[in-house]
Amino acid sequence: MKLERIILACVSLAGFANTTLAADAGKDLYTKTCAVCHAAGIAGAPRYGNAAEWQPRIATGVARLYSNAIQGTSKGMPPKGGNAEASDGDIKAAVDYMLASVKGGAAKPAPAVAAAPAKPAAAAATAAPAAAPTAAVDPSSNTSGVPAADINSFNRLLRPIGKRNPPPVEDGIHDPANDGTLALMAPLAAYGPLPKSLAGNRVNWVKAIEENKINPRWDRNDQAATPVVIDLNIVREVKGSMPDVVYPHKQHTEWLDCSNCHPAIFVPQKGANAISMAAILLGEKCGVCHGKVAFPVSECRLCHSKKKDFRPAQAQAAAAPK
Amino acid sequence: MFGKSAVQRLLLVAMALATVFLVDIDEARAEYGDVVINNYSDAAGMRPAIFPHWFHRVRFRCKVCHADLGFKFKAGGNEINMVKIIDGQFCGACHNGELAWSVENCNLCHSGKPGTPTQVHESTVQKLAPAALQKK
């Protein structure tokens, strides 16, 4: 009897070890391959941790899920997720790994709390019943880092309002275990009185200076020093129907010295600078600042602000002042 | 009995894995313009330094650091080390105990998660061409 129990113990421990190894392999493969689609739900892939999306698939049986993952489906799942080198066992482990994210009740809400330590206990309490698949639709799951459950939810790929400008302990790059992190100011504490914008820090920094909401120093030691502002607009005609770019020296010289841009980034001579959106997106030319600290390229019209005249040349000439 | 404990342990493992995963998903949500500088920190056993652009631009115009102090417009491109800072170069021009708090507050700058790469977080390049970023 006693011997039997010991053997049973050994078997169950060995089984446990095997399961953990398989879980590791599944997670590895998931991170390398599956997550490309299954994290954000690209091409209709059921998202990791999203019980509502997985439920109908689980209903067809796990064996079916395995074979679909290995052989691919006509709906968009490539065979083995496009990673032909993965073994069938690894694929099954990855499927198990994703299934584990939507099964096993208590396993889900707890890490959500761990990922956002500053979240009030009340929110944790509402997240706790997320065990049942229906609870995944609970709006509180939006704050837990799990993608919104409803595939048709509004702007599901955008960052929810509550997750913008996070305090340092929650921002993913600061170490919450570092005592200094707690002493750092949260962005929103500073942004309160500043004019808003739709992108970047969501602060309109240019307007903040114009409206005297902030008065950043021009000289680090001399509070009274003021910039030499140059009021000179440069118009750049651009291809296609996009409005031409008006570059205002005024707003730039409020912040920058001539030497910051000239001559290294922009040759101060008309027609001497080849600028393209591709270069800007890769962090060159305007992209040295715009897309890193200054407003990003999503704000097209802030630069492309001069409408083109599409009337025939004759009409333009007739309308021109004589 | 053993079956139950195994289930519990499995649950714990699953929770730990899920935690790691969730943190991974949420990694890219730093404040726009936050620069992580990890040229030497990881190797030296320090947390990487984090420079919050937003905090500094409320107080100083770009020109102060990028023209007067010679900071290049490139994350990690200035090869800053503590000797230079203590000598009054780069961060040390202000973080000297007079204009701003001094270098003994290690953890205020060195506050990043170990292993976080050098880059401007939330930047367009980080989102569109992370590979190009790493080559440079």
Side-chain angles (χ1 to χ4, degrees), chain A residues 153-228:
Chain A
S153 65
F154 191 72
N155 281 345
R156 66 190 175 88
L157 292 182
L158 289 189
R159 183 170 308 179
I161 290 172
K163 296 190 85 180
R164 293 170 187 161
N165 312 109
V169 280
E170 290 174 26
D171 71 1
I173 58 171
H174 284 88
D175 187 351
N178 169 40
D179 52 358
T181 301
L182 298 170
L184 298 173
M185 189 194 275
L188 284 180
Y191 294 170
L194 305 184
K196 306 275 181 285
S197 82
L198 294 173
N201 302 112
R202 297 185 177 269
V203 167
N204 187 333
W205 294 104
V206 168
K207 216 170 164 193
I209 282 196
E210 279 171 6
E211 295 178 351
N212 286 320
K213 295 287 198 300
I214 55 171
N215 185 18
R217 288 190 185 184
W218 178 252
D219 183 289
R220 71 180 190 280
N221 295 310
D222 181 4
Q223 208 166 352
T226 50
V228 183

Side-chain angles (χ1 to χ4, degrees), chain A residues 74-86:
Chain A
S74 58
K75 282 196 281 182
M77 171 76 196
K80 294 190 173 178
N83 183 352
E85 287 168 15

Side-chain angles (χ1 to χ4, degrees), chain A residues 5 9 12-13 16 19-20 23-24 27 30-31 35 39 48 97 104 106-108 110-112 114-115 144-147 159 163-166 170-181 183-187 190-191 194 200-201 205 209 214-221 227 254-257 259-261 265 281-284 288-297, chain B residues 1-3 5-11 13-36 47-48 50-69 71 73-75 88 93-94 96 99 101 106-114 116 120-129 132-133 136:
Chain A
R5 286 183 79 173
S12 61
L13 270 180
F16 171 68
T19 333
T20 4
D24 283 348
K27 190 199 170 202
Y30 171 80
T31 319
Y48 181 91
Y97 176 70
K108 204 61 213 153
S144 69
V146 181
R159 183 170 308 179
K163 296 190 85 180
R164 293 170 187 161
N165 312 109
E170 290 174 26
D171 71 1
I173 58 171
H174 284 88
D175 187 351
N178 169 40
D179 52 358
T181 301
L184 298 173
M185 189 194 275
Y191 294 170
L194 305 184
N201 302 112
W205 294 104
I209 282 196
I214 55 171
N215 185 18
R217 288 190 185 184
W218 178 252
D219 183 289
R220 71 180 190 280
N221 295 310
E254 284 278 2
W255 293 96
L256 290 153
D257 191 70
S259 68
N260 284 133
C261 305
I265 302 174
L281 288 167
L282 286 172
E284 290 162 18
V288 168
C289 299
H290 287 281
K292 291 180 190 158
V293 284
F295 65 78
V297 290
Chain B
M1 188 175 104
F2 291 108
S5 79
V7 167
Q8 280 174 345
R9 288 167 73 180
L10 249 181
L11 269 181
V13 172
M15 278 162 63
L17 288 180
T19 310
V20 169
F21 177 74
L22 284 174
V23 169
D24 282 351
I25 291 187
D26 283 346
E27 206 158 39
R29 64 190 155 114
E31 183 63 18
Y32 185 67
D34 275 5
V35 183
V36 172
R47 294 181 174 92
I50 298 184
F51 172 81
H53 256 115
W54 65 270
F55 183 92
H56 289 81
R57 75 182 295 179
V58 169
R59 290 155 180 82
F60 298 97
R61 306 196 190 220
C62 320
K63 169 257 186 190
V64 172
C65 299
H66 289 294
D68 297 354
L69 301 182
F71 279 92
F73 293 124
K74 174 142 183 48
C94 295
N96 52 13
L99 211 53
W101 42 262
C106 317
N107 286 350
L108 291 183
C109 291
H110 290 275
S111 58
K113 282 185 186 164
T116 312
V120 186
H121 283 262
E122 294 293 285
S123 66
T124 309
V125 186
Q126 186 195 30
K127 288 178 189 166
L128 293 185
L133 195 80
K136 281 182 187 173

Side-chain angles (χ1 to χ4, degrees), chain A residues 30-92:
Chain A
Y30 171 80
T31 319
K32 274 190 220 141
T33 306
C34 319
V36 174
C37 295
H38 285 277
I42 290 167
R47 282 170 293 172
Y48 181 91
N50 189 318
E53 287 174 20
W54 279 99
Q55 209 51 49
R57 286 147 168 119
I58 293 171
T60 65
V62 176
R64 178 81 182 276
L65 284 179
Y66 286 155
S67 68
N68 279 352
I70 292 166
Q71 290 159 19
T73 69
S74 58
K75 282 196 281 182
M77 171 76 196
K80 294 190 173 178
N83 183 352
E85 287 168 15
S87 71
D88 287 6
D90 286 347
I91 297 285
K92 287 177 183 174

